[in-house]
PDB file of all heavy atoms in Angstrom:
ATOM      1  N   ASN A  16      10.712  23.705  20.553  1.00 39.00           N
ATOM      2  CA  ASN A  16       9.642  22.838  19.885  1.00 39.00           C
ATOM      3  C   ASN A  16       9.612  22.914  18.279  1.00 39.00           C
ATOM      4  O   ASN A  16       9.258  21.889  17.672  1.00 39.00           O
ATOM      5  CB  ASN A  16       8.271  23.333  20.439  1.00 39.00           C
ATOM      6  CG  ASN A  16       7.870  22.428  21.663  1.00 39.00           C
ATOM      7  OD1 ASN A  16       8.387  21.475  21.809  1.00 39.00           O
ATOM      8  ND2 ASN A  16       7.076  23.101  22.438  1.00 39.00           N
ATOM      9  N   GLN A  17       9.885  23.960  17.795  1.00 39.00           N
ATOM     10  CA  GLN A  17       9.760  24.282  16.424  1.00 39.00           C
ATOM     11  C   GLN A  17      10.541  23.073  15.544  1.00 39.00           C
ATOM     12  O   GLN A  17       9.972  22.634  14.689  1.00 39.00           O
ATOM     13  CB  GLN A  17      10.280  25.572  15.993  1.00 39.00           C
ATOM     14  CG  GLN A  17       9.445  26.766  16.208  1.00 39.00           C
ATOM     15  CD  GLN A  17       7.918  26.560  15.911  1.00 39.00           C
ATOM     16  OE1 GLN A  17       7.145  26.125  16.762  1.00 39.00           O
ATOM     17  NE2 GLN A  17       7.645  26.629  14.611  1.00 39.00           N
ATOM     18  N   GLU A  18      11.632  22.848  16.080  1.00 37.00           N
ATOM     19  CA  GLU A  18      12.578  21.873  15.198  1.00 37.00           C
ATOM     20  C   GLU A  18      11.951  20.564  15.287  1.00 37.00           C
ATOM     21  O   GLU A  18      12.358  19.721  14.275  1.00 37.00           O
ATOM     22  CB  GLU A  18      13.963  21.845  15.814  1.00 37.00           C
ATOM     23  CG  GLU A  18      14.269  21.236  17.065  1.00 37.00           C
ATOM     24  CD  GLU A  18      15.593  21.248  17.607  1.00 37.00           C
ATOM     25  OE1 GLU A  18      16.071  22.348  17.529  1.00 37.00           O
ATOM     26  OE2 GLU A  18      16.233  20.274  17.963  1.00 37.00           O
ATOM     27  N   HIS A  19      11.195  20.098  16.055  1.00 40.00           N
ATOM     28  CA  HIS A  19      10.639  18.714  16.028  1.00 40.00           C
ATOM     29  C   HIS A  19       9.275  18.642  15.077  1.00 40.00           C
ATOM     30  O   HIS A  19       8.796  17.687  14.934  1.00 40.00           O
ATOM     31  CB  HIS A  19      10.095  18.290  17.408  1.00 40.00           C
ATOM     32  CG  HIS A  19      11.046  18.400  18.479  1.00 40.00           C
ATOM     33  ND1 HIS A  19      10.713  18.639  19.752  1.00 40.00           N
ATOM     34  CD2 HIS A  19      12.416  18.475  18.386  1.00 40.00           C
ATOM     35  CE1 HIS A  19      11.820  18.578  20.501  1.00 40.00           C
ATOM     36  NE2 HIS A  19      12.862  18.609  19.735  1.00 40.00           N
ATOM     37  N   LYS A  20       9.009  19.833  14.632  1.00 46.00           N
ATOM     38  CA  LYS A  20       7.708  19.776  13.850  1.00 46.00           C
ATOM     39  C   LYS A  20       7.820  19.050  12.544  1.00 46.00           C
ATOM     40  O   LYS A  20       7.771  19.610  11.467  1.00 46.00           O
ATOM     41  CB  LYS A  20       7.228  21.279  13.596  1.00 46.00           C
ATOM     42  CG  LYS A  20       6.609  21.791  14.830  1.00 46.00           C
ATOM     43  CD  LYS A  20       5.542  22.870  14.439  1.00 46.00           C
ATOM     44  CE  LYS A  20       4.689  23.102  15.673  1.00 46.00           C
ATOM     45  NZ  LYS A  20       4.545  24.453  16.092  1.00 46.00           N
ATOM     46  N   LEU A  21       7.903  17.756  12.728  1.00 52.00           N
ATOM     47  CA  LEU A  21       7.892  16.902  11.451  1.00 52.00           C
ATOM     48  C   LEU A  21       6.624  16.695  10.892  1.00 52.00           C
ATOM     49  O   LEU A  21       6.427  16.895   9.691  1.00 52.00           O
ATOM     50  CB  LEU A  21       8.439  15.518  11.957  1.00 52.00           C
ATOM     51  CG  LEU A  21      10.046  15.509  12.188  1.00 52.00           C
ATOM     52  CD1 LEU A  21      10.235  14.137  13.010  1.00 52.00           C
ATOM     53  CD2 LEU A  21      10.730  15.669  10.998  1.00 52.00           C
ATOM     54  N   GLY A  22       5.662  16.410  11.690  1.00 55.00           N
ATOM     55  CA  GLY A  22       4.330  16.192  11.264  1.00 55.00           C
ATOM     56  C   GLY A  22       3.564  17.506  11.055  1.00 55.00           C
ATOM     57  O   GLY A  22       3.087  17.803   9.904  1.00 55.00           O
ATOM     58  N   ALA A  23       3.565  18.435  12.091  1.00 66.00           N
ATOM     59  CA  ALA A  23       3.057  19.750  11.832  1.00 66.00           C
ATOM     60  C   ALA A  23       1.553  19.737  11.404  1.00 66.00           C
ATOM     61  O   ALA A  23       1.049  20.710  10.880  1.00 66.00           O
ATOM     62  CB  ALA A  23       3.807  20.613  10.901  1.00 66.00           C
ATOM     63  N   VAL A  24       0.794  18.652  11.612  1.00 84.00           N
ATOM     64  CA  VAL A  24      -0.657  18.736  11.341  1.00 84.00           C
ATOM     65  C   VAL A  24      -1.276  18.984  12.683  1.00 84.00           C
ATOM     66  O   VAL A  24      -0.802  18.538  13.778  1.00 84.00           O
ATOM     67  CB  VAL A  24      -1.180  17.248  10.957  1.00 84.00           C
ATOM     68  CG1 VAL A  24      -2.536  17.333  10.428  1.00 84.00           C
ATOM     69  CG2 VAL A  24      -0.176  16.522  10.050  1.00 84.00           C
ATOM     70  N   THR A  25      -2.311  19.647  12.615  1.00 90.00           N
ATOM     71  CA  THR A  25      -3.132  19.986  13.893  1.00 90.00           C
ATOM     72  C   THR A  25      -4.625  19.582  13.675  1.00 90.00           C
ATOM     73  O   THR A  25      -5.117  19.803  12.523  1.00 90.00           O
ATOM     74  CB  THR A  25      -3.009  21.384  14.454  1.00 90.00           C
ATOM     75  OG1 THR A  25      -1.669  21.711  14.512  1.00 90.00           O
ATOM     76  CG2 THR A  25      -3.624  21.681  15.766  1.00 90.00           C
ATOM     77  N   TRP A  26      -5.301  19.110  14.625  1.00 88.00           N
ATOM     78  CA  TRP A  26      -6.712  18.763  14.463  1.00 88.00           C
ATOM     79  C   TRP A  26      -7.398  20.102  13.947  1.00 88.00           C
ATOM     80  O   TRP A  26      -7.169  21.084  14.586  1.00 88.00           O
ATOM     81  CB  TRP A  26      -7.340  18.314  15.781  1.00 88.00           C
ATOM     82  CG  TRP A  26      -6.763  17.044  16.443  1.00 88.00           C
ATOM     83  CD1 TRP A  26      -6.077  16.931  17.569  1.00 88.00           C
ATOM     84  CD2 TRP A  26      -6.957  15.662  15.892  1.00 88.00           C
ATOM     85  NE1 TRP A  26      -5.821  15.645  17.912  1.00 88.00           N
ATOM     86  CE2 TRP A  26      -6.326  14.914  16.828  1.00 88.00           C
ATOM     87  CE3 TRP A  26      -7.575  15.109  14.835  1.00 88.00           C
ATOM     88  CZ2 TRP A  26      -6.225  13.494  16.633  1.00 88.00           C
ATOM     89  CZ3 TRP A  26      -7.445  13.661  14.616  1.00 88.00           C
ATOM     90  CH2 TRP A  26      -6.749  12.898  15.654  1.00 88.00           C
ATOM     91  N   ALA A  27      -8.283  19.958  13.089  1.00 87.00           N
ATOM     92  CA  ALA A  27      -8.885  21.192  12.478  1.00 87.00           C
ATOM     93  C   ALA A  27      -9.987  21.745  13.564  1.00 87.00           C
ATOM     94  O   ALA A  27     -10.130  22.867  13.579  1.00 87.00           O
ATOM     95  CB  ALA A  27      -9.621  20.843  11.237  1.00 87.00           C
ATOM     96  N   LYS A  28     -10.630  20.815  14.270  1.00 86.00           N
ATOM     97  CA  LYS A  28     -11.686  21.445  15.200  1.00 86.00           C
ATOM     98  C   LYS A  28     -11.373  21.137  16.671  1.00 86.00           C
ATOM     99  O   LYS A  28     -10.733  20.177  17.094  1.00 86.00           O
ATOM    100  CB  LYS A  28     -12.964  20.572  14.813  1.00 86.00           C
ATOM    101  CG  LYS A  28     -13.465  20.959  13.439  1.00 86.00           C
ATOM    102  CD  LYS A  28     -14.831  20.676  13.414  1.00 86.00           C
ATOM    103  CE  LYS A  28     -15.545  21.087  12.037  1.00 86.00           C
ATOM    104  NZ  LYS A  28     -15.497  19.940  11.008  1.00 86.00           N
ATOM    105  N   ARG A  29     -11.937  22.016  17.546  1.00 85.00           N
ATOM    106  CA  ARG A  29     -11.909  21.775  18.929  1.00 85.00           C
ATOM    107  C   ARG A  29     -12.539  20.412  19.379  1.00 85.00           C
ATOM    108  O   ARG A  29     -13.527  19.991  18.817  1.00 85.00           O
ATOM    109  CB  ARG A  29     -12.781  22.873  19.684  1.00 85.00           C
ATOM    110  CG  ARG A  29     -12.031  24.112  19.743  1.00 85.00           C
ATOM    111  CD  ARG A  29     -12.324  24.998  20.855  1.00 85.00           C
ATOM    112  NE  ARG A  29     -11.032  25.733  20.984  1.00 85.00           N
ATOM    113  CZ  ARG A  29     -10.116  25.518  21.768  1.00 85.00           C
ATOM    114  NH1 ARG A  29     -10.161  24.641  22.619  1.00 85.00           N
ATOM    115  NH2 ARG A  29      -8.964  26.319  21.659  1.00 85.00           N
ATOM    116  N   GLY A  30     -12.115  19.837  20.338  1.00 90.00           N
ATOM    117  CA  GLY A  30     -12.696  18.676  20.730  1.00 90.00           C
ATOM    118  C   GLY A  30     -12.229  17.357  20.000  1.00 90.00           C
ATOM    119  O   GLY A  30     -12.645  16.223  20.338  1.00 90.00           O
ATOM    120  N   SER A  31     -11.567  17.640  18.889  1.00 93.00           N
ATOM    121  CA  SER A  31     -11.274  16.365  18.093  1.00 93.00           C
ATOM    122  C   SER A  31     -10.344  15.409  18.873  1.00 93.00           C
ATOM    123  O   SER A  31     -10.510  14.153  18.753  1.00 93.00           O
ATOM    124  CB  SER A  31     -10.633  16.681  16.789  1.00 93.00           C
ATOM    125  OG  SER A  31     -11.663  17.286  15.893  1.00 93.00           O
ATOM    126  N   PHE A  32      -9.495  15.992  19.676  1.00 95.00           N
ATOM    127  CA  PHE A  32      -8.513  15.096  20.350  1.00 95.00           C
ATOM    128  C   PHE A  32      -9.336  14.193  21.420  1.00 95.00           C
ATOM    129  O   PHE A  32      -9.232  13.072  21.406  1.00 95.00           O
ATOM    130  CB  PHE A  32      -7.422  15.903  21.202  1.00 95.00           C
ATOM    131  CG  PHE A  32      -6.671  14.855  22.008  1.00 95.00           C
ATOM    132  CD1 PHE A  32      -5.602  14.032  21.480  1.00 95.00           C
ATOM    133  CD2 PHE A  32      -6.986  14.753  23.353  1.00 95.00           C
ATOM    134  CE1 PHE A  32      -5.054  13.147  22.249  1.00 95.00           C
ATOM    135  CE2 PHE A  32      -6.275  13.874  24.223  1.00 95.00           C
ATOM    136  CZ  PHE A  32      -5.269  13.119  23.679  1.00 95.00           C
TER     137      PHE A  32
END
Side-chain angles (χ1 to χ4, degrees):
N16 267 334
Q17 280 322 95
E18 75 185 39
H19 310 153
K20 280 211 163 121
L21 286 166
V24 195
T25 307
W26 300 113
K28 296 207 175 84
R29 278 209 159 263
S31 287
F32 174 81

